[in-house]
Amino acid sequence: MNLLKLARSKHPASPLRGSIALITGGGRGVGRLFARRLAAEGAMVVLVARSANELDDVAACIEASGGRVKTFVVDVTDMSAVQNVVARIEKEVGPIDTLVNNAGIFGPVGNTWECDWRAWWQTIEVNLGGAVAFSHSVIPHMAARHRGRIVNVTSQAGAFRWPTVSAYSVSKAALIKFSENLAIECNASSLKVFAYHPGLLALGMTLHGRSMQGDANSAQARVGAWCRAQLASEVVASEEDAATRLVMLLSGGYDVLTGRYITVWDDLDGLAERLGDLTADEYRHYLMLRPQHDGRGEATRSLASTVWSRLMRLLRRVGR
Amino acid sequence: MVTQPGSPLRDAIVLITGGSRGIGRLYAHRLAAEGAVVVLVARSAVELDEVARSIRAEGGKVATYVVDVTSKAAVARVVGRIEKRLGPLDVLINNAGIRGPIGNAWECDWDAWWRAIEVNLGGAAAFSHTVIPNMAQRRKGRVVNIVSEAGVFRWPTVSAYSVSKAALIKFSENLAAECRDFSLSVFAYHPGFLPLGLVNEAMDPHVSMTPAEARVAVWCRAQLASTTAALPGESAAQLIRLLSGAYDSLTGRYVTVHDDLDLLVARVGTAAASKDYRMLRSSA
C-alpha cells in the first residue's frame, strides 16, 4: 500500500513527505487547493473548517488520489475550541510541522460607515483573530521542538488597499504585520513565518467577488466588475503556480525570507540573493517587489503609465 | 488662556477618544486653546472630570462622556447624545489606545492580546462608523487616527500594539478613498515618541517585570534620551496644522510629527500619478 502511494505521489522526493501540515479553512477555495497539493507531496494534511460536509468532500477527494488526510470541525474565532483542536491534533495525529493560516472571509462590501458593523468586525475576527489564535496555540508545540513553519495567507489588498472592501484589506494588512513581528520573535526557536499572497485565483473568494451584482454604480457592482476584469486579465495567477510557491516556501530552501511578504509572482531565488540589499532598505523590504511579467506585460504597463500621466497632465491643465 | 482668535478650529466641535490622559489630554488642552469645543470620551469619569476642570480653568470649552470604545452600542449612544446636545461633530480624533501585553505573541495572555486589537483598531473603526454618516451628509469633517511607527515598521514582543497600528494605518488609507466623494479628510498621524501615556506606562518599573518588559522599558528610555524623541508642543502644533484644512490633499496618508507638511503637499502631485494611486482608482 505504501509503495502504491509512493508510486501515485507526483513528488516522491518532496521535503514535505511524512510531515504534518495543518490548514485552516481547508474545506474550499485556496485551502482546498493547498490541501490537495500538500497531500500529493506526501504530507499528512490536517484540515480544519466550519463545515463538516465540505471537509468530508475534500477528504474523500484526497484519499481517492492516495493522500493522507484528517479533518476537524472548528470555528477559528473560538479560542478555546482552537486550543482544544490543536491539542487533539498533536495527540492523535502527531507533531504539527506546518501551519497554513488560510481561513478567511471577504467581509462586507460598501463604504465602511455603511457596512453592517457586526459583519465588518467579524472579518477582523476571522482573518486576523483566527490566524493569531492558531499561531498562539500551535507555536508553543513547535518552539519546544525548534521545528516548524507558518504561512499566513494574505493579499495584495493588505499591501495596498481596497476601498469599499476595507475590513478585508485592513485584516490582511494586520496579518502581514503580524507575520513580520512573529518571525522576529520566532528566530530564537528557529521557526519560520511567511506572509504569502497566492495571487488572484479563479477560486473561493474571487468567485464570490465575481458573482457580485448590484445597482449600477453601487460598491457591489463595482467590486463584481473589478473581479471579473481581473480574472479575465493576465493578472490572474495559475493554481499550479500558487501551490508550487507554497511548497517552495515550506521546503526549507527559502527560510532566510522569514517575516516577509511573498507573492506568487516572486522569484524566490532572486529574493533570497538580494536579501543583503533588501535589509538595507527597510521600507522596500516591507512592501516587497512588484509582480513579474514578460516583456509584453512590461510594455503594456509602461504604455498605461504614459497614457495615465498624460491624462493627469491634461486634467490638471483643464482644471486650471 | 489666550485663545487664538483667527484659528480655523475656533468653535469647531472636536471629539477626542481616550481624552483623559496622555496624548489625548495634551491635545484636548491645545485644541481648547485654539477655541475648539472639545468633547472628551474615556472610561474613567474621575480622570475626565479632572481634565475638564483644568481646561475650564484656562477658559476652554469642554464636555465629557464616559464610554468604553469597544462597545459599539455604547459608542452609537454616546455619539447620538453628543450631537443632540452640542451639534454635529467637525473633527474626530481616534486616540484611545492601549499598549497591550509584552512578550512573544504565543506567550502573551490571549485576552489581553486581542483586547489591544479591540481597543486600538475596533474603537477607532467603531467611532468612525458612527460619526462619519453625519459628516458625509454635511460634506464636512476630518478624522485623525492616532497611529505609531510601530505600525509602519514593527515591534517584536509588543506585537498586538504593532499589528493594531498597522491595521489602523491601512484603515485610514481605505477610509480616505471612500470619503473622497464626500469631501472628508482622514489622516493617520504619528504624534512622535513622547514622554506621555503609553511610553510612561512602559517605563514604569514594577516588581514583577518580565525580561521582555524590562527590555522594552530600556528601549523606551533610550528613545526618549535620543534625538528621535518628539516635543509635546510640536506634536500638538502638527495636529492643529493637519486640522486647519490646508493639508487636506494629504488625506489617507501616514503623517508624522517630524514631517514637513508643505513639502509633502508639493509632492502629492507626483505621487498621485504613481502606480499605487492608479490601483486605488481602478478598484474604488
Side-chain angles (χ1 to χ4, degrees), chain A residues 1-232:
Chain A
M1 186 59 201
N2 277 338
L3 275 173
L4 183 64
K5 271 185 196 161
L6 190 65
R8 276 179 182 170
S9 167
K10 279 187 269 181
H11 311 272
S14 171
L16 291 174
R17 178 146 214 91
S19 69
I20 298 177
L22 171 57
I23 305 176
T24 71
R28 55 170 105 152
V30 176
R32 186 181 169 127
L33 166 72
F34 289 166
R36 296 186 61 179
R37 178 60 183 272
L38 296 188
E41 295 282 326
M44 154 68 89
V45 294
V46 184
L47 309 180
V48 295
R50 275 172 304 175
S51 158
N53 284 343
E54 287 177 352
L55 284 173
D56 288 348
D57 187 52
V58 187
C61 166
I62 287 174
E63 274 161 359
S65 41
R68 293 184 304 153
V69 58
K70 290 270 193 286
T71 62
F72 295 86
V73 172
V74 73
D75 173 358
V76 301
T77 64
D78 178 348
M79 182 53 164
S80 60
V82 168
Q83 274 176 329
N84 287 339
V85 86
V86 167
R88 271 186 70 193
I89 293 166
E90 283 272 328
K91 197 164 163 231
E92 293 170 23
V93 186
I96 300 165
D97 300 297
T98 301
L99 167 63
V100 182
N101 282 313
N102 162 75
I105 56 177
F106 200 91
V109 174
N111 289 327
T112 304
W113 63 93
E114 289 162 344
C115 291
D116 176 62
W117 170 255
R118 286 227 292 252
W120 200 93
W121 188 248
Q122 192 200 17
T123 312
I124 306 294
E125 287 180 331
V126 173
N127 298 5
L128 173 63
V132 181
F134 266 93
S135 305
H136 196 277
S137 306
V138 169
I139 291 177
H141 296 285
M142 288 181 167
R145 298 187 285 263
H146 281 257
R147 193 180 78 234
R149 292 187 183 87
I150 296 172
V151 174
N152 293 320
V153 177
T154 61
S155 160
Q156 264 187 338
F160 302 99
R161 65 199 67 79
W162 202 358
T164 73
V165 195
S166 65
Y168 183 76
S169 168
V170 168
S171 71
K172 293 301 185 182
L175 193 49
I176 291 171
K177 190 58 68 183
F178 178 62
S179 311
E180 264 187 85
N181 280 290
L182 192 63
I184 298 170
E185 293 174 2
C186 280
N187 271 339
S189 316
S190 317
L191 310 179
K192 309 300 168 191
V193 184
F194 306 98
Y196 176 48
H197 169 47
L200 194 95
L201 295 161
L203 276 178
M205 229 170 255
T206 315
L207 295 185
H208 170 66
R210 185 174 71 177
S211 68
M212 271 179 202
Q213 303 287 345
D215 300 338
N217 282 325
S218 71
Q220 295 261 340
R222 284 199 304 267
V223 169
W226 185 82
C227 287
R228 287 189 288 278
Q230 292 291 85
L231 283 173

Side-chain angles (χ1 to χ4, degrees), chain A residues 155-157 160 197-202 206 226-239 241-242 261 263-266 290-294 296-298 300-301 304, chain B residues 275 279 282:
Chain A
S155 160
Q156 264 187 338
F160 302 99
H197 169 47
L200 194 95
L201 295 161
T206 315
W226 185 82
C227 287
R228 287 189 288 278
Q230 292 291 85
L231 283 173
S233 76
E234 62 170 21
V235 173
V236 76
S238 91
E239 296 181 14
D241 285 351
Y261 169 71
T263 80
V264 63
W265 302 288
D266 290 332
R290 293 285 187 275
Q292 308 219 321
H293 289 287
D294 56 19
R296 208 180 46 143
E298 191 59 50
T300 313
R301 261 192 331 193
Chain B
K275 183 188 156 140
M279 191 153 185
S282 66

